[in-house]
Amino acid sequence: MPVGTPAVPEGWQRRRLRTEVWLVLGLSLGQSAVYAVVNIVARLTAGTPLGEQAAALNPSRSPRPYLDLTYQLLSIGFALVPVALALFLLSEPGRRATARIGLDLHRPWRTLADGVGLAALIGIPGLGLYLLGRALGITVEVHASALNTHWWTVPVLILAALQNALLEEVIVAGYLVERLEQLGWRPAAVVATSALVRGAYHLYQGIGPFVGNAVMGVIFAQYYRRRRRTMPLVVAHALIDVVAFVGYALLPAGVLASLGVK
């Protein structure tokens, strides 16, 4: 177990930690994973081949622009509540949770370099895996942005990317790894669980994204276990999503078609 990891709790403390993990996941990405599993079952039994189906990310929520903007901002804000809860639960007397999981600006240039490197490591093969999945018919057509075009579209997409990055990396890379290690899980089981949860809540996009995100989960969980820093992971994840969301919103239809999306 890494240096500085708390001793395995006993008795009621252990039961309390397990219950806490289930509650945090149930209020956040665990809930998303359950819905995604049901969604992929529905897709596979719909009678339409998986490759001919589509999934829309960041949809418009109202035809009225400023009401749509309000809904978008509320959705982003409330999605970050589980992040605040996880940080609250990880905090200890004399030690902030942000310091514990490395969610800070310590050594910013090193953090940025690691984030960019991880983004390239995951993003470029990820695009290839998406195209392969589309060719094999095991990945749905993903519309990365279904927002109508307004002056606020790009800023909202950037905020959505940052929200996704914070939610996923704080919960499945930081909080979940910390708690499972506290419960005495073996490193391989910790990494596998974090990766499978990450893959599971992407199942609504098809089998390819499940595999790709599970691999990303292994890399990110291992990075966190070695470095105890989530900020580079947040940077990497945000960069990947910004490129996907904003690129989809701004690239010409011909370019998108050449990448296998419409």
Side-chain angles (χ1 to χ4, degrees):
M1 188 172 294
V3 176
T5 301
V8 177
E10 299 292 339
W12 71 270
Q13 292 178 314
R14 198 174 166 80
R15 292 191 296 272
R16 183 182 178 89
L17 277 183
R18 282 198 296 262
T19 301
E20 180 195 291
V21 170
W22 282 112
L23 288 173
V24 170
L25 290 179
L27 289 170
S28 58
L29 296 170
Q31 180 185 138
S32 299
V34 172
Y35 275 108
V37 170
V38 174
N39 184 273
I40 194 63
V41 171
R43 288 183 181 278
L44 291 172
T45 58
T48 302
L50 196 62
E52 296 179 14
Q53 299 181 42
L57 311 182
N58 306 303
S60 288
R61 301 174 185 273
S62 172
R64 297 158 62 184
Y66 285 97
L67 187 57
D68 193 4
L69 173 60
T70 301
Y71 280 133
Q72 299 294 334
L73 295 177
L74 286 174
S75 177
I76 291 168
F78 281 115
L80 291 174
V81 172
V83 175
L85 175 62
L87 292 174
F88 174 78
L89 293 170
L90 286 174
S91 62
E92 299 173 339
R95 189 184 184 193
R96 300 189 312 275
T98 51
R100 176 175 178 175
I101 65 171
L103 188 67
D104 53 38
L105 296 177
H106 178 65
R107 300 182 66 183
W109 294 113
R110 173 66 182 274
T111 296
L112 179 61
D114 283 359
V116 171
L118 286 166
L121 177 66
I122 297 298
I124 296 172
L127 177 59
L129 186 60
Y130 171 78
L131 296 176
L132 178 62
R134 294 288 295 140
L136 295 175
I138 61 172
T139 299
V140 305
E141 181 181 316
V142 178
H143 299 173
S145 172
L147 277 179
N148 296 324
T149 303
H150 304 293
W151 66 264
W152 47 261
T153 298
V154 170
V156 163
L157 290 174
I158 292 172
L159 286 176
L162 182 58
Q163 172 246 295
N164 286 345
L166 284 168
L167 177 63
E168 296 187 37
E169 304 317 325
V170 169
I171 299 294
V172 296
Y175 171 82
L176 188 58
V177 169
E178 289 286 328
R179 284 303 192 234
L180 294 183
E181 287 182 343
Q182 276 186 272
L183 287 168
W185 286 36
R186 294 180 180 275
V190 171
V191 171
T193 300
S194 177
L196 288 174
V197 171
R198 188 188 295 267
Y201 58 75
H202 287 94
L203 263 173
Y204 69 96
Q205 298 176 10
I207 308 303
F210 166 79
V211 174
N213 280 280
V215 172
M216 174 181 175
V218 170
I219 294 170
F220 277 26
Q222 285 282 39
Y223 179 94
Y224 179 76
R225 288 192 68 256
R226 292 176 181 275
R227 301 288 183 85
R228 297 290 149 175
R229 289 192 56 74
T230 54
M231 185 59 81
L233 305 179
V234 170
V235 170
H237 195 141
L239 286 174
I240 292 169
D241 280 5
V242 166
V243 170
F245 296 170
V246 177
Y248 189 93
L250 298 182
L251 285 176
V255 176
L256 292 174
S258 68
L259 295 175
V261 295
K262 298 178 181 177

